[in-house]
Amino acid sequence: MLVLLPPSEGKAPSAGGAPLKLEGLSLPALTGAREAVIGELVELCAGDEDKAREVLGLSEGLRGEVAKNAELLTAGARPAGQVYTGVLYDSLDLATLETAAKQRAARSLLVFSGLWGAVRVTDRIPSYRCSMGVKLPGVGALGTHWRTPMASALPEAAGDGLVLDLRSSAYTAAWKPKGEVAGRTATVRVLHAPTRKVVSHFNKATKGRIVRSLLSAGIAPKGPAELVEALRDLGYVVEVEPPTGAGAGAGAGAGKAWTLDVLVTEVH
């Protein structure tokens, strides 16, 4: 099972110790594209601060994020699972998982990023600020920049199992599953049951809880149909309309992803 997560806007400060080693990150096929983005971002943020804030869409109150980006190559790095914060990651709470569940997280979780493309939670990165919606002067729109390298790297990372896509819309621009991989991909929406609307807090917190539940229980569904059963067994209320012609098999419905609606009333 491969779980695709969005990053968090807020991030823990960079740690002391060894700086980033690009060659040490997972998905080495993305290294060239990473070098291009990080080089452009560091140059931008080490120059005209006001221009950098404008390009990155940062308010005056976030001026310090520009200086943080300028030091990306020298700042101390820490595991990505410790860098990303916010509602989803608070609910996932990687630090308190049991050892076996942490090992599953290391194998299955992939966090999408405007700067790195995608990283595993064990990859060591510095704190940064660069969303997928950014358009850098030399590289261009990051969603477009990542499409070509992702098209080869992600199907390999997905293997032959389920792809559970929990990304926000901005990050789906970098890679959309196609063909046989799409047929075993499930995208999840979290809806407030009384209104059938997406509410940000419910959405993020529940996605974090879903991933934690699957990791803790050691459940690795082979396809979307098995995921629906697993989530219902874990106590979630799930509605699903499979793609036309999709059956229960892992490769059924090739070319079309499943959409699962998880209904919640409140999150504690």
Side-chain angles (χ1 to χ4, degrees):
M1 178 174 67
L2 183 68
V3 182
L4 310 181
L5 297 174
S8 59
E9 192 168 289
K11 299 170 185 70
S14 292
L20 168 74
K21 291 185 178 180
L22 274 177
E23 67 276 12
L25 298 181
S26 301
L27 306 181
L30 302 181
T31 299
R34 288 168 175 154
E35 289 175 339
V37 177
I38 199 169
E40 178 89 10
L41 184 62
V42 169
E43 181 179 357
L44 172 70
C45 292
D48 187 329
E49 188 176 81
D50 290 331
K51 179 182 178 181
R53 284 202 302 114
E54 180 181 356
V55 170
L56 297 174
L58 300 177
S59 65
E60 174 66 30
L62 294 174
R63 184 176 289 271
E65 300 294 290
V66 175
K68 179 194 293 185
N69 284 344
E71 299 173 352
L72 283 173
L73 295 175
T74 57
R78 66 170 74 189
Q82 297 176 19
V83 172
Y84 295 113
T85 60
V87 176
L88 189 155
Y89 291 91
D90 286 347
S91 296
L92 174 53
D93 199 4
L94 287 169
T96 63
L97 289 172
E98 294 184 355
T99 300
K102 286 181 179 178
Q103 292 171 345
R104 295 181 196 110
R107 293 193 301 266
S108 62
L109 304 188
L110 203 60
V111 184
F112 272 61
S113 162
L115 179 54
W116 316 113
V119 291
R120 297 197 183 276
V121 292
T122 50
D123 285 336
R124 296 180 70 258
I125 60 173
S127 185
Y128 68 96
R129 189 68 171 244
C130 185
S131 69
M132 190 66 80
V134 165
K135 185 176 182 180
L136 292 174
V139 171
L142 293 181
T144 302
H145 173 77
W146 287 113
R147 284 177 195 163
T148 297
M150 288 281 196
S152 58
L154 266 293
E156 181 178 351
D160 58 2
L162 169 74
V163 178
L164 175 54
D165 192 349
L166 303 178
R167 296 174 295 168
S168 51
S169 58
Y171 291 87
T172 61
W175 182 65
K176 295 182 180 180
K178 296 181 179 179
E180 187 269 336
V181 178
R184 48 186 165 86
T185 296
T187 60
V188 172
R189 300 188 307 174
V190 179
L191 305 181
H192 186 215
T195 63
R196 282 302 200 277
K197 293 182 179 179
V198 175
V199 180
S200 179
H201 179 82
F202 287 94
N203 180 51
K204 294 175 182 178
T206 303
K207 286 179 177 178
R209 287 157 64 97
I210 285 172
V211 176
R212 184 179 178 88
S213 296
L214 292 171
L215 293 173
S216 297
I219 299 172
K222 295 181 179 179
E226 289 188 20
L227 174 64
V228 173
E229 294 178 6
L231 292 178
R232 288 172 176 166
D233 287 344
L234 289 168
Y236 293 95
V237 178
V238 183
E239 293 182 351
V240 58
E241 184 174 346
T244 302
K256 298 180 180 179
W258 291 44
T259 298
L260 278 56
D261 289 338
V262 176
L263 307 181
V264 296
T265 54
E266 58 183 333
V267 176
H268 301 287

